[in-house]
Amino acid sequence: MTTTAIFGSHVLAEQDGQPVVLRDRWVITEGDRIAAIATGRPKADIVLDAPGRFVLPGLLNLHNHCFSEAVARTHTEDGAGRKSNGSIVYTVLLPLTKTGLDIFTAEERMAVARMGVLQLLKGGATTVMEPFRNGLGEMFDAALEMGLRFYGAPYLFSTADAKADASGQVVYRGDDGAADLDAWNALHARWEGAGNGRIRLAMSPHATDTCGPDLLRACAARARELGAPITTHLAQSRQEVDTIGQRHGGRTPAEYLDWLGLMGPDLLAAHCIASSDSDLALMAARGATVLNCPRVFARGGTTAAFGRFAEAGVRTVIGTDGYNMDLLGEVNAAAMISKIAAGRPDVAGAPELIGAVTRQAARAIGREDLGVIAAGAKADLTVVDLTHPHLQPLHDPMRALVWLANRANIDGVMVDGRLLIQNGHFLAGDERAITRAGAAAIEKLWALPEAQAAFNS
Ligand SMILES: [Zn+2]
């Protein structure tokens, strides 16, 4: 069993259930587990003793879309691609990613998946939950191959080819999600528990306006039979709220999920920006989690304030969604946007935000063994180099992490006891080759006339 000892000038640990930053400690791992936090220099197979490192529990990014992020980058900023309904989800991202899956070879899909996983690891994430279309099963292969801890969340739709009409309403073709549930079950049978348990599945009905009652009930029943977390998009827009109200007797999207029995501690609901205060009270009462992804909305001029959800008493965690996949950048944005939204500086403080990508995120997926540095926990670690000039002198490492650090300061990443990133570089593959191949595949999609038309019309 491989042992590794990593020296941290600062180590984020827990005392009596509260986060505490310890000075000058060694974090020792043995196989896939954390063995101890020690003061004296230990003996180990691998010893990392660079000065000025902040050793954190492995960061969890529980809402991410590798494929649509890579497709959209630099095409959708500054209002590009937005039609009358103001959103690019149904007009651009879903149709284009579907087209991509139709035209890519398996090798090209794998190239895109590898580039996404590389980007996530270099950003410091050790656990990622990724909702994606069924046709992109290569996400599982790439996560397994490259060492990431991965909750694959293949979408289920009632409306298989979800598109918005001219008014922005999603065209709904009835409750025909049985085929997607069959496909999900097949992926579960193939992948659940692979890679020493690193690879798992989450149940992932796409959204309230693309999934009807029968499918959502079936999803909840199956997920609970298996103990799989459930994730969906909830109250992403005003349009969705109107649509659900019209279809389901005036219910809000949150009430719709509650009516169908989905609203519980195992539900992770992305965005919730069009939720009412009473929706948030309902989510808090049921123990559900909000997945807050502030930057993808900031890009479109919309506020998605972490602080609003957290202050309503809802467990709130942070993900990158389809934008940039830089978790530290996202945490920084969560801090800023929360303070602007509240008009006060004393909301969404650094320890709370770091908790949202460590301990709270782990709890949201029922994992007491993740998001914490403690003996017996999984050996998932994120190491940040605090010796950069923009981080010195260092008075408060938690604030430094949220306010000043960025993804280029990620020095080490360990998942399941295996060191994947060292000195900021991926150890088990050629970064430049992975990036080149992924970019070439995405370019093939952008060469299509319909891709050009989506943005130029
Ligand atoms: Zn999403």
Side-chain angles (χ1 to χ4, degrees):
M1 213 185 303
T2 305
T3 54
T4 305
I6 305 176
F7 181 72
S9 296
H10 300 84
V11 173
L12 180 58
E14 270 188 6
Q15 257 165 21
D16 307 322
Q18 294 300 314
V20 58
V21 177
L22 304 174
R23 294 297 310 269
D24 300 332
R25 302 296 160 101
W26 291 88
V27 178
I28 304 159
T29 67
E30 220 173 82
D32 65 352
R33 298 281 166 178
I34 292 171
I37 304 174
T39 46
R41 187 186 179 90
K43 284 197 171 58
D45 301 323
I46 301 167
V47 177
L48 303 178
D49 63 351
R53 266 48 180 181
F54 190 4
V55 183
L56 300 160
L59 306 182
L60 294 93
N61 181 354
L62 298 186
H63 194 73
N64 184 77
H65 307 291
C66 282
F67 190 17
S68 59
E69 193 273 347
V71 170
R73 57 178 63 155
T74 73
H75 287 280
T76 51
E77 293 82 358
D78 303 333
R82 283 168 204 273
K83 302 285 166 62
S84 56
N85 68 339
S87 168
I88 55 172
V89 173
Y90 295 111
T91 52
V92 177
L93 294 180
L94 285 173
L96 265 191
T97 50
K98 185 170 190 309
T99 304
L101 295 179
D102 292 342
I103 65 161
F104 284 175
T105 63
E107 207 173 311
E108 285 164 339
R109 293 194 300 269
M110 190 66 187
V112 174
R114 280 199 189 103
M115 183 168 74
V117 172
L118 178 63
Q119 197 182 341
L120 288 158
L121 288 171
K122 291 195 75 176
T126 56
T127 296
V128 172
M129 185 178 284
E130 166 94 10
F132 57 89
R133 281 192 175 267
N134 275 336
L136 197 59
E138 286 77 9
M139 283 304 306
F140 286 109
D141 297 277
L144 181 68
E145 170 191 295
M146 295 171 76
L148 184 67
R149 189 176 301 285
F150 186 67
Y151 280 77
Y155 283 140
L156 301 95
F157 289 95
S158 295
T159 295
D161 189 10
K163 278 184 186 141
D165 66 14
S167 72
Q169 287 265 354
V170 176
V171 180
Y172 183 68
R173 298 204 186 80
D175 223 352
D176 61 353
D180 285 350
L181 196 51
D182 290 345
W184 189 94
N185 280 322
L187 287 167
H188 187 273
R190 176 168 172 205
W191 288 106
E192 178 74 10
N196 192 35
R198 272 193 297 113
I199 308 296
R200 306 277 293 264
L201 270 83
M203 186 60 75
S204 181
H206 170 260
T208 64
D209 54 353
T210 50
C211 296
D214 291 350
L215 177 61
L216 287 169
R217 281 198 195 95
C219 283
R222 183 66 178 140
R224 284 167 187 159
E225 191 179 310
L226 297 166
I230 304 170
T231 191
T232 193
H233 295 88
L234 177 63
Q236 297 195 88
S237 68
R238 204 55 243 169
Q239 244 102 21
E240 179 192 332
V241 175
D242 294 345
T243 300
I244 298 304
Q246 281 158 24
R247 283 187 201 152
H248 305 291
R251 289 183 173 88
T252 66
E255 289 165 352
Y256 173 58
L257 292 188
D258 193 48
W259 170 52
L260 299 171
L262 273 82
M263 192 62 83
D266 53 356
L267 180 77
L268 296 96
H271 311 320
C272 304
I273 57 163
S275 297
S276 66
D277 290 346
S278 67
D279 287 335
L280 296 184
L282 173 66
M283 293 186 75
R286 296 286 186 265
T289 297
V290 171
L291 297 158
N292 176 234
C293 309
R295 290 207 293 193
V296 75
F297 288 99
R299 178 178 65 176
T302 300
T303 302
F306 175 96
R308 178 181 175 230
F309 307 115
E311 298 227 320
V314 190
R315 174 170 24 230
T316 308
V317 306
I318 299 169
T320 51
D321 200 38
Y323 188 67
N324 205 339
M325 292 151 68
D326 169 12
L327 196 53
L328 287 183
E330 202 72 34
V331 168
N332 174 266
M336 290 203 195
I337 290 166
S338 296
K339 289 163 203 292
I340 294 168
R344 313 196 324 251
D346 60 340
V347 297
E352 186 181 9
L353 292 169
I354 293 169
V357 291
T358 54
R359 196 55 151 145
Q360 290 304 323
R363 285 187 178 141
I365 52 171
R367 295 291 299 261
E368 288 295 321
D369 59 342
L370 298 179
V372 63
I373 297 180
K378 278 283 187 185
D380 288 13
L381 300 169
T382 299
V383 182
V384 181
D385 177 1
L386 295 174
T387 63
H388 294 277
H390 63 280
L391 296 166
Q392 293 293 326
L394 188 77
H395 298 292
D396 185 325
M398 303 266 258
R399 287 185 188 155
L401 194 69
V402 170
W403 287 98
L404 303 172
N406 64 63
R407 106 172 107 195
N409 310 140
I410 299 293
D411 183 66
V413 171
M414 174 184 276
V415 178
D416 223 29
R418 180 180 165 205
L419 204 55
L420 303 177
I421 302 277
Q422 192 176 357
N423 300 324
H425 293 290
F426 183 56
L427 296 174
D430 179 342
E431 287 187 19
R432 280 200 284 186
I434 291 170
T435 305
R436 239 188 340 258
I442 298 292
E443 287 302 332
K444 180 174 163 185
L445 181 57
W446 279 108
L448 294 173
E450 59 260 46
Q452 299 293 327
F455 283 86
N456 297 333
S457 59

